[in-house]
Amino acid sequence: MFNRFLLILVFVPLAIILIALAVANRDPVAFTLDPFNPGNPVLTMTLPLFIFLFLALAIGMIVGSLATWVKQGRYRKLARQRRVEAENLRQAVSRAPVAPQGPVLPKPTN
């Protein structure tokens, strides 16, 4: 239910905005990687502006995802350590002799 709500509330308006940006920015623009010689044809790409916008969005999502993954590495390491510890404890419990339940009383003699 929450996923559907999130889809309708966030992603649908975002998709509409991105489609509107793509339609409005179809003119080709030059993107150059050489700040000292902007007219260098080897380091210049001419593509529609919306492609550069989508590439920037995709690169930002990838960089953000990688930064989050790296930052959460210590929690993944801790989870692995605790999983190994829990498995070792399970094996130790399964190998341990079973102790009798309750007090052991002597057998009655008649």
Side-chain angles (χ1 to χ4, degrees), residues 15-59:
I16 291 170
I17 291 170
L18 288 176
I19 291 170
L21 277 173
V23 170
N25 295 299
R26 292 177 290 170
D27 295 333
V29 295
F31 178 77
T32 185
L33 295 173
D34 188 0
F36 302 111
N37 185 11
N40 187 355
V42 176
L43 297 174
T44 301
M45 293 187 301
T46 303
L47 294 171
L49 180 60
F50 73 91
I51 291 178
F52 291 123
L53 292 174
F54 288 160
L55 284 174
L57 178 69
I59 291 170

Side-chain angles (χ1 to χ4, degrees), residues 105-110:
L105 301 175
K107 291 185 181 182
T109 57
N110 285 339

Side-chain angles (χ1 to χ4, degrees), residues 96-105:
V98 178
Q101 298 293 327
V104 178
L105 301 175

Side-chain angles (χ1 to χ4, degrees), residues 4-94:
R4 185 172 300 272
F5 178 72
L6 185 68
L7 177 74
I8 293 171
L9 188 67
V10 175
F11 292 126
V12 170
L14 186 62
I16 291 170
I17 291 170
L18 288 176
I19 291 170
L21 277 173
V23 170
N25 295 299
R26 292 177 290 170
D27 295 333
V29 295
F31 178 77
T32 185
L33 295 173
D34 188 0
F36 302 111
N37 185 11
N40 187 355
V42 176
L43 297 174
T44 301
M45 293 187 301
T46 303
L47 294 171
L49 180 60
F50 73 91
I51 291 178
F52 291 123
L53 292 174
F54 288 160
L55 284 174
L57 178 69
I59 291 170
M61 290 174 58
I62 291 169
V63 169
S65 298
L66 286 175
T68 302
W69 184 77
V70 168
K71 186 154 177 75
Q72 294 175 350
R74 62 181 165 175
Y75 301 114
R76 288 191 307 276
K77 181 179 179 182
L78 183 62
R80 281 192 303 271
Q81 290 171 345
R82 289 187 177 169
R83 183 174 44 240
V84 168
E85 182 182 348
E87 186 59 35
N88 291 339
L89 290 173
R90 280 190 198 102
Q91 290 175 0
V93 166
S94 68

